Amino acid sequence: RKEVEQDPGPFNVPEGATVAFNCTYSNSASQSFFWYRQDCRKEPKLLMSVYSSGNEDGRFTAQLNRASQYISLLIRDSKLSDSATYLCVVGTYKYIFGTGTRLKVLA
Amino acid sequence: NAGVTQTPKFQVLKTGQSMTLQCAQDMNHNSMYWYRQDPGMGLRLIYYSASEGTTDKGEVPNGYNVSRLNKREFSLRLESAAPSQTSVYFCASSEVAEDQPQHFGDGTRLSIL
């Protein structure tokens, strides 16, 4: 089993749709969780940290389920500009990156 | 707002040549990292430096060496480049604490013929 697993997609959704991604991790001792966004041929950029109680940043909501060892990212009211690859990152001091889930928002 | 700066942005090498990728950060971070990203493989950690004067191997260190020159700079050296090292290389930095994300440079695209 990979340490961090993501569905590679692509997820093709119309503008305005709600879309959710999950990411599972194998190390139950992991303490830190993040979602990054990566545009084609660009560097990963931090989208949001994921906290135990769940957290929201505008149209984006992240949640952590320690019992089932997964984190999720929900995007509401999708925009064309949300098209990118979303990377799940898990670890404690040293981080493991998932291979990413590709999202395409269609006009 | 420079953040993490990598040089060069692009490089083509012949098999057996050597080169050094440079990385500098101006955020006063203690930790610095080198990753490579290949299609379908995600980001893989090559080496990291938790603080000035220390370096440790990551997941894929073979064929690479690193130097933490000072707090700001962390370089990656390919002593004898191989085609398998064709990749996009990212440098990152962060504070040493839980819940501290890594900040990335914009990458070096390296092709080895």
Side-chain angles (χ1 to χ4, degrees):
Chain A
R1 181 185 175 185
K2 286 184 181 177
E3 290 186 76
V4 176
E5 287 197 84
Q6 295 184 252
D7 182 339
F11 285 60
N12 296 323
V13 302
E15 265 188 297
T18 295
V19 61
F21 312 133
N22 280 345
C23 166
T24 59
Y25 62 94
S26 60
N27 186 351
S28 60
S30 299
Q31 296 296 321
S32 302
F33 307 88
F34 307 97
W35 283 103
Y36 278 71
R37 171 196 169 122
Q38 186 172 27
D39 293 291
C40 187
R41 300 180 68 77
K42 300 283 191 180
E43 75 276 21
K45 292 185 178 177
L46 178 68
L47 181 65
M48 58 197 304
S49 301
V50 186
Y51 301 119
S52 298
S53 55
N55 48 300
E56 191 173 301
D57 183 1
R59 298 182 292 109
F60 299 85
T61 300
Q63 294 199 314
L64 166 63
N65 185 316
R66 285 192 184 273
S68 300
Q69 293 182 211
Y70 73 86
I71 65 172
S72 64
L73 177 68
L74 180 79
I75 306 175
R76 289 181 298 278
D77 189 23
S78 298
K79 312 290 184 192
L80 293 175
S81 58
D82 293 333
S83 296
T85 297
Y86 292 84
L87 306 177
C88 159
V89 183
V90 175
T92 305
Y93 299 110
K94 229 167 68 172
Y95 299 140
I96 306 296
F97 285 74
T99 53
T101 296
R102 195 167 166 209
L103 171 66
K104 290 184 182 179
V105 181
L106 308 171
Chain B
N1 294 340
V4 179
T5 302
Q6 290 184 235
T7 55
K9 296 205 184 321
F10 302 93
Q11 185 70 48
V12 179
L13 293 178
K14 293 181 180 177
T15 298
Q17 287 185 315
S18 63
M19 83 161 293
T20 299
L21 279 61
Q22 306 287 353
C23 175
Q25 52 94 6
D26 62 4
M27 294 176 283
N28 203 36
H29 287 159
N30 284 300
S31 296
M32 297 185 73
Y33 310 81
W34 276 106
Y35 292 90
R36 59 178 289 174
Q37 188 174 35
D38 303 293
M41 298 292 289
L43 283 155
R44 292 184 292 168
L45 183 64
I46 304 171
Y47 271 93
Y48 68 101
S49 170
S51 61
E52 187 178 351
T54 68
T55 60
D56 286 288
K57 294 178 180 179
E59 181 186 356
V60 289
N62 291 345
Y64 306 95
N65 286 302
V66 290
S67 296
R68 183 75 183 267
L69 304 169
N70 47 56
K71 191 172 185 179
R72 289 187 65 247
E73 298 173 288
F74 188 38
S75 62
L76 178 72
R77 183 161 177 84
L78 286 70
E79 290 291 351
S80 179
S84 61
Q85 294 177 304
T86 294
S87 189
V88 180
Y89 291 84
F90 289 105
C91 177
S93 71
S94 72
E95 287 294 348
V96 183
E98 288 180 17
D99 293 337
Q100 292 302 307
Q102 295 177 8
H103 301 267
F104 285 82
D106 54 10
T108 295
R109 282 151 185 80
L110 182 61
S111 292
I112 299 163
L113 308 176

